[in-house]
Amino acid sequence: LAARVRGRRDGWPVAPAALLGGGSGVLFALGAGSKLSGLIVAAPIMVVVELGARGSRWRIAGAFGVGAAAATAVILIPAVGHWSAAYSQLVTLHLNAGAQSHRGVANNWQLILYQPERALEMLAVVLAAVAVVGPVRAVLVPVAWGIAAVGATLVYQPLFLHHVVFVIPALALVAGVGVHALARRRVPTVAVRVQLPAFAFGAIAVAVFVAVGAFQVGHRQAQQAIRAGAHNAAIASVIRSETATGAYVISDNQFAVALANRDVPPSLVDTSGAQILDQLMTTDAVERAARRYQVPLVVLDSGRLKRVPGLLAWLKSHYPAAESVGETTIFEVKS
């Protein structure tokens, strides 16, 4: 891409092209293997390949395909012999959950415009316009990424707030390219009547947006983290006092359980809303895990497990002692 932007037409040597393409393919497959939404990055990758220097475009694309295929094969090794279960966990789970809770594009758009992200979103839009007018061709890559990310986020179901992280890398890159575009330009100022670097105006804009973002994200979320940390510490203290070392605890707040140095039954590690919407998290599943691991304590904190049909009634009959820590309910075996 750098060679193309600078006007080079001669292409890259074979070895660097293969390394770039193959390495990118491996990273792409690893990203998508960690979170399927990583497939969104295919959009900017295609733009990079298209803008590649002549003579190396197909070498990069071919190496990318080989690298992605090799990494995918490694990722799929644990699924050998369990293809149905793997497909169910990767695809069917999310499709069924989306069908159970389809909130529409309007709801997704509100989440994209969630307050902590607004400063970065506004900055990216402004600086994208600067780069396009520039024109700076390098902006095409993050813009393609941003369009793909926003489009996927709009239609993704069910969309939760943490999914908005899809769009943040693209927005940050767009803003960076926009600042670079400003650094290459000079504009007159009426008041001073001298030529100042346009970069100075960009720096001021960035500083303003960073200040707003720092307050919205840094200050407010730091306060929330402090409150959450104190809350988890209080729950962890109760878990430690009521269970022996090595005991298993069922909870929808796995952070507090980990803080107490206790374990969660493997089958109940994922208590996400998608699992509950898809009815994969059931009272029977909780009961089986509780019996197998002799669970002495069940901690209901985030509200997710409370939505499992019939679970509260089962807990009250099998864990008769209950204790409250704020809005958290802790069920114990002892009477």
Side-chain angles (χ1 to χ4, degrees), residues 20-42 45 63-76 90:
L20 281 172
S24 298
V26 169
L27 293 176
F28 173 73
L30 293 177
S34 300
K35 190 71 175 177
L36 202 58
S37 55
L39 293 173
I40 293 172
V41 187
I45 287 175
F64 175 86
V66 172
T72 300
V74 173
I75 292 171
L76 291 178
L90 274 175

Side-chain angles (χ1 to χ4, degrees), residues 34-292:
S34 300
K35 190 71 175 177
L36 202 58
S37 55
L39 293 173
I40 293 172
V41 187
I45 287 175
M46 288 189 291
V47 174
V48 170
V49 173
E50 178 61 28
L51 294 178
R54 287 182 182 177
S56 62
R57 179 182 304 168
W58 293 111
R59 289 201 298 269
I60 294 175
F64 175 86
V66 172
T72 300
V74 173
I75 292 171
L76 291 178
I77 289 176
V80 174
H82 307 281
W83 300 113
S84 178
Y87 184 82
S88 176
Q89 286 291 317
L90 274 175
V91 180
T92 307
L93 165 65
H94 295 88
L95 292 177
N96 291 346
Q100 293 288 334
S101 176
H102 190 87
R103 300 169 184 170
V105 173
N107 175 79
N108 290 11
W109 184 248
Q110 290 179 355
L111 292 181
I112 292 175
L113 296 179
Y114 182 60
Q115 189 176 18
E117 278 74 39
R118 288 179 192 169
L120 180 58
E121 290 166 352
M122 293 172 62
L123 182 65
V125 169
V126 171
L127 292 179
V130 170
V132 169
V133 172
V136 179
R137 295 187 65 188
V139 78
L140 296 176
V141 176
V143 164
W145 189 353
I147 292 174
V150 171
T153 306
L154 283 174
V155 300
Y156 190 88
Q157 296 292 338
L159 184 75
F160 300 110
L161 190 56
H162 62 269
H163 291 143
V164 180
V165 74
F166 296 169
V167 303
I168 291 177
L171 295 177
L173 286 173
V174 168
V177 174
V179 171
H180 172 69
L182 283 173
R184 300 171 56 187
R185 303 176 64 187
R186 302 180 69 86
V187 296
T189 58
V190 177
V192 184
R193 293 188 179 281
V194 294
Q195 293 278 341
L196 290 178
F199 179 75
F201 297 98
I204 294 172
V206 170
V208 171
F209 283 109
V210 167
V212 174
F215 175 76
Q216 291 181 337
V217 179
H219 176 67
R220 294 183 181 179
Q221 293 195 0
Q223 289 182 323
Q224 293 175 2
I226 291 172
R227 289 195 295 269
H231 174 73
N232 289 342
I235 298 173
S237 178
V238 175
I239 294 174
R240 278 193 298 266
S241 65
E242 299 295 339
T243 61
T245 302
Y248 284 85
V249 176
I250 292 175
S251 178
D252 48 13
N253 185 344
Q254 292 84 352
F255 297 103
V257 177
L259 187 61
N261 198 26
R262 301 295 186 264
D263 294 317
V264 175
S267 59
L268 301 181
V269 168
D270 184 4
T271 56
S272 63
Q275 290 271 357
I276 295 170
L277 286 170
D278 201 26
Q279 299 180 354
L280 293 177
M281 180 66 63
T282 63
T283 298
D284 288 341
V286 174
E287 182 177 4
R288 287 194 299 271
R291 290 179 177 176
R292 178 177 179 181

